[in-house]
Amino acid sequence: MYFLFLMFLLALFIFINSLSFPYRDARLVPVLASTVIMAMMLIEIIRKFRGQVKVLPGEEKAEAGNKDKGEWSKLARLMGWVGGLLVGIYVLGFMFAIPLFLLAYLKSQGRSWLIAVTFSVSITATIYVIFVIAAGIMFPAGLIFA
Amino acid sequence: MIEAYKEALHFLCTPTAMGWMLIGTVVSIIGGIIPGITAKITIVLFIPFILLFPRDIALLILVALQSASVTGGSITAILINIPGTNINAATLLDGFPMTRKGEGNRAIGAAVTASMMGGAIPVFLALAMIPLLLPILMAFQAPEMAILVIGGMTCVAMLTPESTTRGLASAALGVLISLVGYQGSTGVSRFTFGSMFLYDGFSIATFALGLFGLAEMFDMKLKGEKSITNITLAQTKLTGLAQTFQGARDVWHHRWLWLRSTLIGYVVGLIPGIGGEVAIWVAYAQAKYTSKNPELFGTGCVEGVIAPESANNAKESGALLTTMAFGIPGSGLMALFIGAFLMVGVVPGPKMLTDHLPLALTLLLGIVICNVLGGIICFFSAPFLTIITRIHMDYVFSAILCVIFIAAYAVEESLLNIVVVVGLGVFGLIMKRFKFSRPALLLGFVLGGMTELYTLRSIRLYGTLFFMRPICLILIAIIIGAFCYPYIKRLLLLRTQKQV
């Protein structure tokens, strides 16, 4: 239910924002699209209040997610790793951050040093061959090495 | 005409031509498989070298680079839920669930066979239809295009199993997101909040990487999945190549479905500016509505793989023919082709089919050969590629995360794009949990720009009642009919049950 309200409010914000665009051409489609979203969310909310919509598998769990601390902590840990890789790329550059991330992640999951190092080196080498040599993509060096 | 065919076939059978077609096809497959690298990128990388080759070889390489990318893209869609190209998006719906059930090889076998035949056979249809094409193409103007595009989005929304309203909302949200950035006709900057990064909007690859690839990886990690496939080898009836051949047999078993989907892909692909994005969803929708078991769609049904894969390759021959015969590019990729044609001194248009008929036939037959080559390569590679689905999630997740980050950077050459992909990954996860349709969101995003362009043009030319044209009214009637069909079917079924 909260997500439906959130979508409705988002659409309302976009609708109001769109009305401020100076030309009809710029306003028309955003206004129409946000109206469609508001209408659909209103229908869903009304149906939910009237009990016409059965709670979909997973949705009850998702809405009760606040009470499931296990899933939240898993998500936080996951975002931690994702964020860590992002920061690593920004600071060290792709070619250092990626093998370090792979090594750290696999070690944190209990893999042996041999497997972690072999996997990290192979993936990094494969990425280098495909994206740098074959596709010619220039990766930034990172803050430290820039 | 026969002499032209002989000349084309003679050229295609030379070792040089076959060799370059094979190389081009392999590169095309790899480009399709790797997220972030599409046929457009591989062709753009090749174009600077085009003048180093003889004219016919250069154009043949271009055709080869484009032909099998969609086939390659279906492999990532099936195995790791990332559409290799945006016209593989419909394949996700049933392809990835098939992999989760341990039928990845079967899904690839079906996809590759359907693609191979869907790409090869319509070429002959294309040649026969040339005289009929021009009136069809000229009849489709801005109002018809607007209705067709909106119809395509509605189609996808209706396919949302749990709720059509959520599907429609998702499509509309996709349209809104596509409008972020600078608007061409007015110069107004919309929803950029002063950020230069948002000025150009988002790219389709960014969306696909975040919304499908990353979201799925997050979901599997949060659920504690040990691998992509949650069925052991012992539990699957067939494995390896045997399963891949089963997929091929499935295409024969559903040959009428394949034929309908191929025709849909070809006809819709002919229409410039619409292309595969609409064709695959229309094909998927008709597969679901005509199936004996529509409730199985979305849970790993092979028909849900055959239909879009037939359509997406069939559209390629239609698009190339439109480009060559009329000089009208059906997509950005075809616009690159026109550029390439002009670079080598060939002017696309009606005269190309008279002055350069052997060349036109060489390219069209080249599509056939490259589709077959690509199909064979993918078919026999399937058992090796599906190994990835049995590798432990720790390895898969970490490697794919790195590849997604790299692809996200490669698309826009900006680290901020990686942040966008992560954000979309989280949003995709939320959408999945709350049963909103990600395919509808993607299609709304892909078609949003076109929707606005054709709608505004239609209003400017024909007023607000632009949809009162005959073809528009027919299309609207078809859309409403398709919308109401499941409800009517349910009503009739209830009435029959009551009578019984």
Side-chain angles (χ1 to χ4, degrees):
Chain A
M1 182 68 91
Y2 300 117
F3 187 67
L4 298 175
F5 270 119
L6 209 64
M7 285 282 281
F8 180 85
L9 290 172
L10 177 69
L12 184 62
F13 169 75
I14 292 170
F15 179 84
I16 294 168
N17 204 270
S18 306
L19 290 174
S20 66
F21 296 144
Y23 303 104
R24 182 200 66 177
D25 281 7
R27 279 195 299 268
L28 183 65
V29 176
V31 163
L32 285 174
S34 51
T35 307
V36 168
I37 297 174
M38 285 193 291
M40 294 302 119
M41 290 302 99
L42 215 55
I43 292 171
E44 284 284 306
I45 291 167
I46 291 169
R47 285 168 74 191
K48 270 241 157 142
F49 267 123
R50 292 172 69 178
Q52 284 176 348
V53 176
K54 66 177 176 8
V55 177
L56 301 165
E59 188 175 346
E60 191 178 77
K61 191 173 179 222
E63 293 223 327
N66 280 328
K67 294 177 191 151
D68 184 355
K69 288 188 180 150
E71 183 141 292
W72 279 114
S73 72
K74 268 191 204 168
L75 185 64
R77 272 202 305 277
L78 201 60
M79 287 301 115
W81 282 108
V82 171
L85 177 59
L86 202 52
V87 169
I89 287 170
Y90 179 68
V91 173
L92 300 170
F94 280 89
M95 288 298 124
F96 284 103
I98 283 171
L100 283 174
F101 164 78
L102 291 170
L103 194 61
Y105 183 78
L106 290 174
K107 280 306 295 170
S108 76
Q109 303 300 311
R111 305 290 160 189
S112 69
W113 276 107
L114 180 64
I115 289 176
V117 168
T118 310
F119 185 76
S120 307
V121 168
S122 328
I123 295 296
T124 309
T126 309
I127 285 170
Y128 186 79
V129 165
I130 292 173
F131 288 95
V132 178
I133 295 177
I137 295 167
M138 303 282 288
F139 290 118
L143 210 58
I144 290 182
F145 302 106
Chain B
M1 189 74 161
I2 304 221
E3 283 305 314
Y5 265 110
K6 276 187 188 169
E7 200 180 319
L9 283 168
H10 179 74
F11 173 75
L12 287 168
C13 292
T14 57
T16 314
M18 289 299 286
W20 280 112
M21 280 195 291
L22 183 62
I23 292 169
T25 303
V26 169
V27 171
S28 176
I29 291 169
I30 294 170
I33 285 176
I34 298 170
I37 298 180
T38 60
K40 215 185 272 188
I41 292 178
T42 47
I43 287 172
V44 161
L45 289 173
F46 171 69
I47 279 184
F49 306 103
I50 200 172
L51 293 175
L52 298 175
F53 295 86
R55 182 195 71 175
D56 291 11
I57 294 284
L59 294 177
L60 198 57
I61 293 172
L62 275 183
V63 162
L65 287 174
Q66 176 246 347
S67 293
S69 67
V70 175
T71 310
S74 67
I75 292 177
T76 36
I78 288 166
L79 295 183
I80 58 174
N81 207 51
I82 301 176
T85 68
N86 50 301
I87 56 172
N88 293 116
T91 311
L92 299 170
L93 296 185
D94 281 281
F96 188 63
M98 283 184 77
T99 298
R100 301 272 279 150
K101 290 195 304 189
E103 292 184 323
N105 282 313
R106 184 183 174 195
I108 292 177
V112 161
T113 309
S115 287
M116 188 166 59
M117 287 164 50
I121 291 168
V123 167
F124 304 103
L125 186 69
L127 292 166
M129 278 185 71
I130 289 170
L132 301 172
L133 283 181
L134 194 57
I136 298 171
L137 293 177
M138 291 302 117
F140 267 80
Q141 306 212 356
E144 287 76 21
M145 306 282 255
I147 300 296
L148 198 56
V149 163
I150 293 168
M153 286 192 282
T154 314
C155 237
V156 181
M158 291 189 302
L159 295 170
T160 311
E162 285 83 11
S163 166
T164 306
T165 40
R166 292 186 191 209
L168 286 169
S170 303
L173 185 62
V175 169
L176 277 175
I177 298 173
S178 76
L179 302 177
V180 171
Y182 165 80
Q183 207 237 357
S185 57
T186 60
V188 172
S189 161
R190 295 183 294 193
F191 313 119
T192 56
F193 309 108
S195 163
M196 283 308 291
F197 174 75
L198 294 176
Y199 206 62
D200 282 331
F202 304 109
S203 74
I204 294 166
T206 303
F207 242 70
L209 287 169
L211 212 58
F212 293 98
L214 206 52
E216 211 61 45
M217 288 293 125
F218 286 161
D219 190 48
M220 283 193 281
K221 278 302 284 182
L222 287 174
K223 286 179 179 166
E225 305 272 4
K226 290 279 181 279
S227 65
I228 292 174
T229 302
N230 47 27
I231 305 283
T232 62
L233 277 171
Q235 290 171 303
T236 47
K237 283 185 196 163
L238 292 169
T239 56
L241 218 47
Q243 203 185 78
T244 319
F245 274 104
Q246 187 193 357
R249 281 195 297 274
D250 286 325
V251 177
W252 172 252
H253 183 69
H254 296 103
R255 54 193 176 278
W256 296 115
L257 169 66
W258 168 82
L259 184 64
R260 285 195 306 271
S261 307
T262 302
L263 285 172
I264 289 169
Y266 176 71
V267 171
V268 178
L270 282 174
I271 302 166
I274 298 292
E277 289 86 3
V278 173
I280 53 166
W281 292 108
V282 174
Y284 187 87
Q286 65 83 29
K288 185 174 179 180
Y289 286 147
T290 56
S291 170
K292 288 176 190 157
N293 304 297
E295 70 282 356
L296 293 179
F297 276 69
T299 65
C301 174
V302 76
E303 293 163 80
V305 170
I306 293 170
E309 285 298 318
S310 315
N312 64 23
N313 273 54
K315 112 165 193 343
E316 295 299 329
S317 19
L320 183 63
L321 182 65
T322 316
T323 303
M324 286 196 299
F326 305 112
I328 305 169
S331 59
L333 190 64
M334 286 299 140
L336 285 175
F337 265 74
I338 288 187
F341 281 129
L342 294 171
M343 279 174 77
V344 298
V346 173
V347 180
K351 283 206 163 181
M352 183 168 172
L353 297 177
T354 47
D355 299 350
H356 300 284
L357 185 59
L359 174 65
L361 290 173
T362 300
L363 298 181
L364 287 170
L365 292 171
I367 289 181
V368 176
I369 296 173
C370 293
N371 266 290
V372 172
L373 276 174
I376 292 169
I377 293 168
C378 291
F379 194 90
F380 288 100
S381 312
F384 304 103
L385 295 169
T386 50
I387 288 171
I388 191 177
T389 64
R390 299 197 180 275
I391 296 173
H392 196 279
M393 207 57 197
D394 290 342
Y395 303 104
V396 173
F397 172 74
S398 53
I400 289 181
L401 187 68
C402 295
V403 170
I404 287 176
F405 273 34
I406 286 171
Y409 174 80
V411 163
E412 300 279 355
E413 294 206 357
S414 165
L415 290 176
L416 272 175
N417 207 46
I418 302 177
V419 177
V420 171
V421 167
V422 172
L424 283 169
V426 173
F427 187 64
L429 181 67
I430 295 170
M431 283 188 81
K432 191 175 178 184
R433 292 294 168 88
F434 287 98
K435 306 296 177 187
F436 278 78
S437 171
R438 291 174 291 161
L441 185 81
L442 180 67
L443 190 67
F445 176 77
V446 169
L447 297 179
M450 271 190 255
T451 308
E452 185 176 55
L453 176 72
Y454 292 129
T455 308
L456 293 176
R457 195 179 285 173
S458 303
I459 292 172
R460 224 173 279 137
L461 292 170
Y462 302 102
T464 43
L465 295 176
F466 64 87
F467 51 88
M468 297 299 283
R469 291 157 61 87
I471 297 180
C472 289
L473 290 171
I474 293 170
L475 290 171
I476 291 169
I478 293 171
I479 293 164
I480 293 173
F483 195 85
C484 296
Y485 176 73
Y487 300 105
I488 295 171
K489 196 176 169 187
R490 207 182 299 160
L491 211 65
L492 289 170
L493 193 67
L494 280 169
R495 202 172 278 180
T496 316
Q497 283 172 350
K498 269 188 189 162
Q499 281 172 357
V500 167

